[in-house]
């Protein structure tokens, strides 16, 4: 039974220079898109009780409150469900935040990226650091007790020291969650054709990441997934469902889903999606081996690692026997550790995780 839902809102005020996500500064197409989105949801959603609902983008906070409420109310929800709403600081005020909380949004994910205003300007963000701080304060006064800030490291002219200072300032705001992403310049973004100067190489990015782990540990954040840190047990339930390799609905333009053993994705062409929202652009039935490999890939993203008992039962294998050569190699090098019934990446292993995970692929 599917208990988790992702909804993609592809509109933004302005495309950031590093962004290669499927998003567009064309809010005038919002009405037609929302009509198509509702058609897709109603054609696929079977009325299950939902445990998590996640609005991602783009910039979901460009929606009017009644538009958000219409989408939220489509779903049956568990009493203790988690509904996450991504927002950009310049798009909301106190009234909007209070209204979000009133209609059942209980977790916010705020696109901060940096507290350095010059860096924000250079990467195409249209907010400043004061707006982030103000939005966090307003969100708290509106009743939100689970707030995430997103940061990017490796940005143009960013130093380890300035990045660490960003994280210390975030911790002082008494938020519950921090997500960190290394800058990746991919095809489709402004920086791909216009490479910025003074960006971090892979070694400097690694140093930034290691400094972040140390800093956030000192601020009592739990490092529970490669890119994610939380306080007081406020792990993202929605994203944890991904890393546990469970099913979920993905609704909207370019959204991905996983139901009944099928991985599917919707069209990334806005006009095509609006005209035909109910048919996925791509669908693939995973073999048992593909499911196992995804379980390994996603399991190693979690800092607690892969549960031997669970994976052996779920796939009817002896994990240690099947992968004995690979495990022996990386246990010896210290890149994989065994902790009770779990195999997990060490911090050194995290830094070369793509190489390690490739060895598990057949």
């Amino acid at each position: 039974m599917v208990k988790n839902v992702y909804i993609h809102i592809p509109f933004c005020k302005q495309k950031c220079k590093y962004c290669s996500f499927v998003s567009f500064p064309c809010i005038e197409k919002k009405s037609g898109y929302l009509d198509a989105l509702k058609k897709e949801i109603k054609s696929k959603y079977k009325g299950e009780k939902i445990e998590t609902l996640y609005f991602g983008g783009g910039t979901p906070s460009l929606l009017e409150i009644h538009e958000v409420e219409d989408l939220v109310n489509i779903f049956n929800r568990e009493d203790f469900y988690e509904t996450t709403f991504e927002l950009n600081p310049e798009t909301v005020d106190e009234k909007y935040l209070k209204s979000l909380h009133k209609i059942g949004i209980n977790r916010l994910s705020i696109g901060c990226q940096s507290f350095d205003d010059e860096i924000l300007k250079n990467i195409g963000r249209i907010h400043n650091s004061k707006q982030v701080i103000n939005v966090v304060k307003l969100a708290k006064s509106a009743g939100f007790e689970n707030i995430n800030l997103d940061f990017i490291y490796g940005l143009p002219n960013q130093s380890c020291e300035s990045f660490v200072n960003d994280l210390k300032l975030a911790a002082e705001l008494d938020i519950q969650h921090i997500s960190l992403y290394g800058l990746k310049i991919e095809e489709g973004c402004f920086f791909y054709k216009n490479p910025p100067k003074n960006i971090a190489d892979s070694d400097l990015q690694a140093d930034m990441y290691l400094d972040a782990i140390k800093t956030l540990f000192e601020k009592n954040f739990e490092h529970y997934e490669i890119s994610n840190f939380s306080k007081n047990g406020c792990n993202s339930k929605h994203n944890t469902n991904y890393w546990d390799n469970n099913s979920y609905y993905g609704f909207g333009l370019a959204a991905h889903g996983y139901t009944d053993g099928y991985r599917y994705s919707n069209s990334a062409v806005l006009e095509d999606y609006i005209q035909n929202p109910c048919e996925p652009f791509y669908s693939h039935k995973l073999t048992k081996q593909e499911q196992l490999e995804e379980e390994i890939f996603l399991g190693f993203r979690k800092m607690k690692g892969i549960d031997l008992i669970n994976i052996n039962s779920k796939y009817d294998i002896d994990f240690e026997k099947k992968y004995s050569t690979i495990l022996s190699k990386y246990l010896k090098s210290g890149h994989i550790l065994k902790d009770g019934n779990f195999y997990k990446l060490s911090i050194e292993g995290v830094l070369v995780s793509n190489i390690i995970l490739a060895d598990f692929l057949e």
Side-chain angles (χ1 to χ4, degrees):
M1 182 179 292
V2 184
K3 297 182 179 180
N4 307 84
V5 173
Y6 173 83
I7 295 177
H8 189 63
I9 305 300
F11 305 108
C12 53
K13 281 190 173 182
Q14 175 179 295
K15 192 85 168 176
C16 299
K17 293 180 180 179
Y18 57 83
C19 180
S20 57
F21 294 148
V22 181
S23 60
F24 312 97
C26 54
I27 195 68
E28 70 277 2
K29 297 185 179 180
K30 181 180 66 169
S31 178
Y33 178 78
L34 291 177
D35 287 342
L37 178 61
K38 291 173 189 176
K39 287 179 183 177
E40 185 199 0
I41 295 172
K42 291 176 181 179
S43 73
K44 296 176 182 176
Y45 172 57
K46 300 180 178 66
E48 303 98 325
K49 275 200 169 184
I50 296 301
E51 294 180 354
T52 72
L53 177 59
Y54 194 108
F55 288 86
T59 309
S61 49
L62 291 179
L63 297 183
E64 302 291 334
I65 289 296
H66 71 89
E67 294 169 332
V68 181
E69 187 173 21
D70 285 347
L71 292 170
V72 169
N73 287 342
I74 293 173
F75 301 97
N76 295 321
R77 287 157 284 160
E78 293 284 2
D79 292 338
F80 299 102
Y81 74 101
E82 172 194 271
T83 300
T84 301
F85 194 81
E86 291 184 355
L87 62 85
N88 284 349
E90 76 282 357
T91 62
V92 300
D93 56 18
E94 184 176 14
K95 180 180 178 182
Y96 190 92
L97 291 167
K98 286 182 176 179
S99 297
L100 280 181
H101 192 265
K102 184 177 180 180
I103 65 174
I105 305 297
N106 54 27
R107 183 175 185 269
L108 298 179
S109 183
I110 302 171
C112 175
Q113 317 314 348
S114 173
F115 282 117
D116 186 312
D117 287 342
E118 190 63 28
I119 288 177
L120 290 173
K121 181 180 178 181
N122 289 338
I123 63 175
R125 300 293 291 184
I126 53 178
H127 72 266
N128 59 44
S129 57
K130 288 183 179 179
Q131 287 174 302
V132 177
I133 295 168
N134 186 52
V135 165
V136 170
K137 291 178 179 178
L138 291 177
K140 288 182 178 181
S141 67
F144 287 97
E145 299 177 346
N146 195 348
I147 300 171
N148 170 69
L149 289 184
D150 280 345
F151 289 92
I152 300 176
Y153 57 95
L155 293 168
N157 299 311
Q158 185 183 46
S159 66
C160 280
E161 182 181 8
S162 66
F163 178 54
V164 166
N165 286 338
D166 282 349
L167 301 180
K168 289 179 178 178
L169 177 53
E172 289 173 6
L173 294 175
D174 192 29
I175 57 172
Q176 292 72 41
H177 197 280
I178 290 175
S179 298
L180 307 179
Y181 304 101
L183 177 67
K184 291 183 180 179
I185 297 176
E186 299 179 339
E187 189 171 2
C189 73
F190 176 86
F191 278 158
Y192 186 79
K193 292 184 178 180
N194 304 273
K197 298 178 180 179
N198 299 322
I199 61 171
D201 59 19
S202 58
D203 288 339
L204 182 53
Q205 278 207 15
D207 289 341
M208 289 178 164
Y209 178 72
L210 294 174
D211 285 349
I213 293 172
K214 180 176 182 292
T215 300
L216 293 176
F217 174 78
E218 291 172 350
K219 299 297 183 180
N220 298 314
F221 281 84
E222 175 195 3
H223 187 193
Y224 73 98
E225 191 269 345
I226 285 179
S227 301
N228 289 275
F229 303 76
S230 71
K231 291 180 74 173
N232 304 321
C234 289
N235 298 2
S236 169
K237 294 179 181 178
H238 182 84
N239 289 335
T240 296
N241 183 71
Y242 294 154
W243 304 319
D244 285 343
N245 202 24
N246 293 327
S247 59
Y248 57 94
Y249 288 117
F251 296 124
L253 183 73
H256 291 244
Y258 183 36
T259 60
D260 300 321
Y262 283 86
R263 292 271 179 201
Y264 68 86
S265 60
N266 290 337
S267 173
V269 179
L270 183 58
E271 291 75 14
D272 290 350
Y273 176 80
I274 289 174
Q275 290 178 10
N276 187 18
C278 298
E279 290 297 322
F281 174 76
Y282 169 82
S283 181
H284 171 67
K285 176 75 171 179
L286 271 63
T287 66
K288 199 71 173 176
Q289 179 61 29
E290 287 172 329
Q291 292 178 44
L292 172 59
E293 289 173 356
E294 289 198 358
E295 189 90 16
I296 294 169
F297 175 84
L298 294 166
F300 272 131
R301 288 198 63 89
K302 298 179 290 186
M303 298 313 295
K304 69 178 182 181
I306 292 170
D307 184 338
L308 273 179
I309 296 174
N310 176 66
I311 200 167
N312 287 343
S313 172
K314 192 171 180 179
Y315 295 95
D316 192 26
I317 60 169
D318 184 328
F319 180 79
E320 291 178 302
K321 183 176 180 180
K322 182 176 178 66
Y323 296 106
S324 59
T325 302
I326 301 170
L327 291 171
S328 176
K329 172 184 174 181
Y330 290 114
L331 284 167
K332 186 176 181 180
S333 69
H335 290 94
I336 288 179
L337 305 173
K338 188 176 183 185
D339 183 7
N341 286 319
F342 288 82
Y343 278 97
K344 63 183 183 180
L345 296 179
S346 64
I347 296 302
E348 294 76 12
V350 169
L351 295 176
V352 292
S353 59
N354 288 341
I355 296 172
I356 295 171
L357 294 172
D359 280 354
F360 286 91
L361 303 178
E362 289 189 358

